[in-house]
């Protein structure tokens, strides 16, 4: 049974990118996972050199793992990006949504860098944050202002993605209402083909936007290509293992099973939420992942009956 979990960067070793991540990869594989979501440098404007991409591809392959998804970057992530003691040190000079052409083009180049990483892995998609607020849809003028540079960037990325067989998965976030994200997906999916762009369903994020609801899967399940699976109690973005919060996993797995999503599900559950040794966390996470994969398989068998 295929199972997938996010590999995070935990700088507990002096050489965190090679020694540290190799350790994490070994623990993930030993726990029974077959796939990973690559997360180091997600959201940041760090540029990966060709030698880094090749090294990263090699250590994942040597660990006996496959990459189901790469968490890419728009250069604007206030959690993962560099933030210094004064505001101007916040790095957002690469931004696919910028109205300033040099900045927008820099964002396109940065995203191409992560597409190259995904292609080197043989990963089918990259997950992208499209930061949006409810203000975008308050008038036709504000909507045009937001989407014009974004569309230019995506138009330029489309042939690059198709050539490398890497799709973009737009993630459900928390910086706008569920209605605004549904409008975002409506705009993107009506403009671009499924071979280029689809949906990344983030279970914990969507629960905070629409408690107990699954409208995003019901409406756009035909574009579901990536998942960020985690749990919470409905108050904040806890990123817990499934069944440790309040989400209805029976309903969620049935909704996913009704789509053409190619499993495995990807667990986006960082180990720092749990005060246990890394190996213990990954083994527990794998048991939960296997349980959800079986729930998906069972639901699909019933649909086929």
């Amino acid at each position: 049974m295929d199972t997938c979990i996010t590999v995070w960067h935990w700088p507990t070793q002096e050489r965190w990118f090679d020694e540290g991540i190799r350790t994490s990869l070994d623990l993930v594989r030993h726990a029974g996972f077959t796939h990973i979501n690559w997360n180091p440098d997600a959201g940041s404007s760090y540029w990966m050199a060709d030698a880094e991409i090749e090294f990263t591809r090699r250590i994942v392959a040597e660990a006996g793992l496959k990459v189901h998804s790469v968490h890419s970057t728009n250069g604007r992530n206030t959690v993962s990006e560099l933030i210094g003691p004064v505001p101007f040190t916040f790095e957002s000079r690469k931004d696919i949504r910028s109205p300033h052409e040099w900045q927008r083009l820099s964002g396109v180049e940065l995203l191409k860098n992560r597409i190259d990483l995904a292609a080197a892995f043989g990963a089918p998609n990259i997950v992208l944050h499209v930061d949006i607020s409810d203000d975008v849809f308050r008038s036709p003028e504000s909507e045009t202002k937001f989407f014009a540079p974004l569309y230019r960037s995506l138009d330029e990325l489309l042939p690059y993605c198709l050539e490398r067989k890497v799709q973009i998965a737009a993630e459900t976030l928390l910086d706008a209402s569920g209605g605004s994200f549904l409008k975002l997906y409506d705009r993107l999916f009506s403009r671009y083909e499924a071979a280029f762009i689809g949906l990344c369903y983030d279970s914990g994020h969507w629960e905070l936007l629409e408690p107990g609801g699954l409208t995003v899967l019901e409406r756009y399940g035909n574009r579901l290509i990536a998942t960020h699976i985690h749990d919470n109690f409905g108050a904040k973005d806890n990123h817990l293992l499934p069944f440790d919060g309040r989400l209805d996993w029976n309903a969620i797995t049935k909704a996913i099973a009704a789509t053409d999503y190619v499993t495995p599900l990807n667990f986006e559950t960082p180990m720092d939420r749990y005060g246990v040794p890394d190996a213990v966390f990954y083994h527990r996470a794998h048991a939960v992942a296997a349980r959800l994969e079986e729930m998906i398989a069972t639901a699909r068998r019933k649909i086929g009956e």
Side-chain angles (χ1 to χ4, degrees):
M1 176 184 294
D2 289 342
T3 49
C4 179
I5 196 167
T6 297
V7 170
W8 306 81
H9 48 295
W10 304 105
T12 53
Q13 286 88 357
E14 181 179 356
R15 295 185 59 83
W16 71 268
F17 193 81
D18 42 22
E19 295 174 9
I21 290 181
R22 269 191 169 126
T23 298
S24 293
L25 293 172
D26 288 342
L27 290 170
V28 165
R29 185 69 185 94
H30 188 262
F33 286 97
T34 57
H35 292 68
I36 61 168
N37 167 46
W38 181 261
N39 193 73
D41 301 312
S44 79
S45 58
Y46 182 82
W47 185 274
M48 292 190 71
D50 290 345
E52 287 177 285
I53 290 176
E54 170 54 25
F55 172 78
T56 304
R57 181 207 63 77
R58 180 162 53 85
I59 63 173
V60 172
E62 288 173 351
L65 292 162
K66 296 180 181 179
V67 180
H68 195 256
S69 189
V70 170
H71 201 313
S72 67
T73 176
N74 59 13
R76 296 174 53 86
N77 192 318
T78 56
V79 175
S80 303
E81 187 54 284
L82 302 173
I83 302 176
V86 289
F88 68 80
T89 59
F90 173 67
E91 291 290 332
S92 60
R93 287 172 288 175
K94 301 177 179 69
D95 180 2
I96 60 170
R97 293 201 294 103
S98 176
H100 306 286
E101 190 66 358
W102 69 269
Q103 192 174 26
R104 186 191 67 78
L105 289 171
S106 298
V108 170
E109 289 188 41
L110 177 65
L111 201 50
K112 286 181 177 179
N113 183 250
R114 299 307 197 266
I115 294 166
D116 290 342
L117 175 64
F121 280 140
N125 63 72
I126 59 169
V127 173
L128 178 65
H129 286 186
V130 181
D131 301 303
I132 196 166
S133 71
D134 293 334
D135 288 341
V136 167
F137 298 104
R138 74 176 184 271
S139 69
E141 292 76 19
S142 60
E143 185 170 341
T144 298
K145 182 179 179 181
F146 175 87
F147 279 101
L150 176 63
Y151 285 157
R152 284 200 299 274
S153 295
L154 293 175
D155 289 349
E156 292 164 15
L157 288 163
L158 190 154
Y160 200 83
C161 283
L162 294 181
E163 181 180 353
R164 288 154 182 79
K165 296 181 173 59
V166 175
Q167 295 170 282
I168 290 176
E171 181 180 351
T172 48
L173 303 173
L174 293 172
D175 44 6
S177 65
S180 289
F181 274 101
L182 293 175
K183 290 178 182 177
L184 170 67
Y185 295 135
D186 182 66
R187 305 300 190 271
L188 294 179
F189 299 158
S190 61
R191 181 181 175 95
Y192 297 107
E193 59 187 303
F196 171 52
I197 195 164
L199 168 68
C200 173
Y201 165 66
D202 187 299
S203 60
H205 292 174
W206 195 258
E207 175 66 17
L208 296 174
L209 297 179
E210 187 190 23
L214 295 170
T215 303
V216 70
L217 289 177
E218 294 163 356
R219 190 173 299 181
Y220 299 114
N222 64 325
R223 301 295 285 260
L224 181 64
I225 59 174
T227 55
H228 284 177
I229 299 298
H230 51 98
D231 211 332
N232 61 53
F233 290 100
K236 63 179 181 178
D237 192 23
N238 303 106
H239 281 257
L240 302 174
L241 289 171
F243 308 108
D244 284 353
R246 76 171 198 182
L247 273 66
D248 185 346
W249 292 103
N250 186 51
I252 292 171
T253 52
K254 285 182 177 179
I256 294 174
T259 74
D260 292 329
Y261 175 73
V262 179
T263 55
L265 304 173
N266 167 55
F267 275 37
E268 197 183 37
T269 50
M271 70 186 75
D272 67 346
R273 305 304 194 263
Y274 297 86
V276 297
D278 295 359
V280 173
F281 168 79
Y282 282 125
H283 275 88
R284 179 163 180 254
H286 183 264
V288 177
R291 180 179 173 185
L292 282 190
E293 294 296 338
E294 182 55 38
M295 290 173 70
I296 293 278
T298 299
R300 283 182 167 165
R301 285 195 294 269
K302 290 182 178 179
I303 291 172
E305 291 176 354

